[in-house]
Amino acid sequence: MKRVLGFFCLVVLTVGIVMALPSGHAQELSEAAQAEITTAVYLNQQAYDQYRNGDGDGAIATYRDAIALFRAHDAYGGMGNSFNGIGEVHLARREPKQALEQFKTALELFERDQNVLYQGYTHQYLGEAYGDLRERDHALQAYQTALDRFQQLQSEPGQDVSALQTSEILTRTAIAALHFQAGQYPPALQDYQTVLALQIAKTHKIGSAYLKCKKRTPATPLG
């Protein structure tokens, strides 16, 4: 299990390094610049670990160290991740106003980087922050925008459709919860029914893929 988790973390870091590279001129970066961006990606991971271990102040400080390195090379995607990380710390501390400012900054960076996927993730964060501030209309708008981004990407080639469907399910669940909390039961029911249908379809696809693999895999003799 540890080896699997270690491999997963390595993959996440590798993807983070690629995503953090400045758009358009990544190949023009010197080795020293790429090394600094790689260091910043690892700092983001370190900051997230600090946050998970309860060290919010340490996490924010480490995220800011990462931002300084990303900013030196116009690595907008990396900076966006750092600002989202700081916002997440503020959310955990029940400081939604401070979190909101971080998420807005992150969204501007992802828009500048033309990263539609992370725009979707950031709109999810904005929805959560607005929800904590009891600004329901803004929360719904943010979640709906996130949903639009995820659905847009599902129709594009080369996308991880399964992961996008999971993001869609989470976003629709948040929208349904807001409707339910406001006593708007018909739209809440409709959203929950859509979520259930998506979950069933996703489970069916996973089960079908498993059966196909099982048929193609020769049986291992016992003993």
Side-chain angles (χ1 to χ4, degrees):
M1 179 61 75
K2 289 183 179 179
R3 290 176 62 185
V4 172
L5 289 173
F7 175 75
F8 174 76
C9 290
L10 179 61
V11 170
V12 170
L13 285 170
T14 303
V15 171
I17 291 167
V18 173
M19 196 208 76
L21 293 174
S23 299
H25 61 278
Q27 295 180 349
E28 300 174 8
L29 291 173
S30 66
E31 289 186 7
Q34 292 187 37
E36 286 196 348
I37 290 174
T38 301
T39 298
V41 171
Y42 276 93
L43 285 174
N44 268 357
Q45 181 61 46
Q46 178 184 331
Y48 181 73
D49 291 340
Q50 289 173 299
Y51 157 67
R52 295 283 291 177
N53 290 324
D55 183 10
D57 289 337
I60 290 175
T62 304
Y63 277 128
R64 296 206 179 281
D65 288 341
I67 289 170
L69 290 175
F70 285 133
R71 182 177 283 122
H73 305 290
D74 294 332
Y76 305 124
M79 279 192 285
N81 272 338
S82 301
F83 280 108
N84 270 347
I86 294 174
E88 193 172 1
V89 174
H90 284 301
L91 273 185
R93 290 175 165 179
R94 298 185 179 182
E95 299 169 346
K97 287 186 178 180
Q98 294 91 323
L100 196 62
E101 294 307 312
Q102 303 300 319
F103 298 145
K104 286 180 177 179
T105 301
L107 182 60
E108 290 175 1
L109 290 163
F110 288 130
E111 288 175 344
R112 189 169 182 178
D113 199 47
Q114 298 182 349
N115 192 319
V116 177
L117 178 61
Y118 279 78
Q119 289 173 33
Y121 292 150
T122 305
H123 278 293
Q124 282 183 318
Y125 277 131
L126 285 167
E128 188 173 353
Y130 280 124
D132 287 352
L133 288 168
R134 302 190 183 281
E135 296 184 22
R136 179 179 168 278
D137 289 342
H138 284 116
L140 280 172
Q141 183 178 6
Y143 281 128
Q144 185 59 55
T145 305
L147 185 60
D148 293 343
R149 297 291 186 273
F150 297 140
Q151 290 178 324
Q152 170 191 340
L153 288 172
Q154 286 181 51
S155 62
E156 296 181 3
Q159 296 292 332
D160 186 344
V161 175
S162 179
L164 288 167
Q165 288 173 339
T166 298
S167 295
E168 180 179 351
I169 287 170
L170 293 173
T171 306
R172 285 188 180 277
T173 301
I175 292 172
L178 285 172
H179 285 311
F180 186 84
Q181 291 164 8
Q184 298 177 337
Y185 302 122
L189 179 60
Q190 183 178 356
D191 287 327
Y192 282 129
Q193 287 174 334
T194 302
V195 167
L196 180 59
L198 287 169
Q199 290 174 328
I200 291 172
K202 190 174 173 64
T203 303
H204 177 71
K205 288 179 181 178
I206 293 172
S208 297
Y210 170 76
L211 289 175
K212 287 180 181 178
C213 290
K214 190 173 182 181
K215 288 179 181 178
R216 294 176 182 176
T217 304
T220 304
L222 296 175

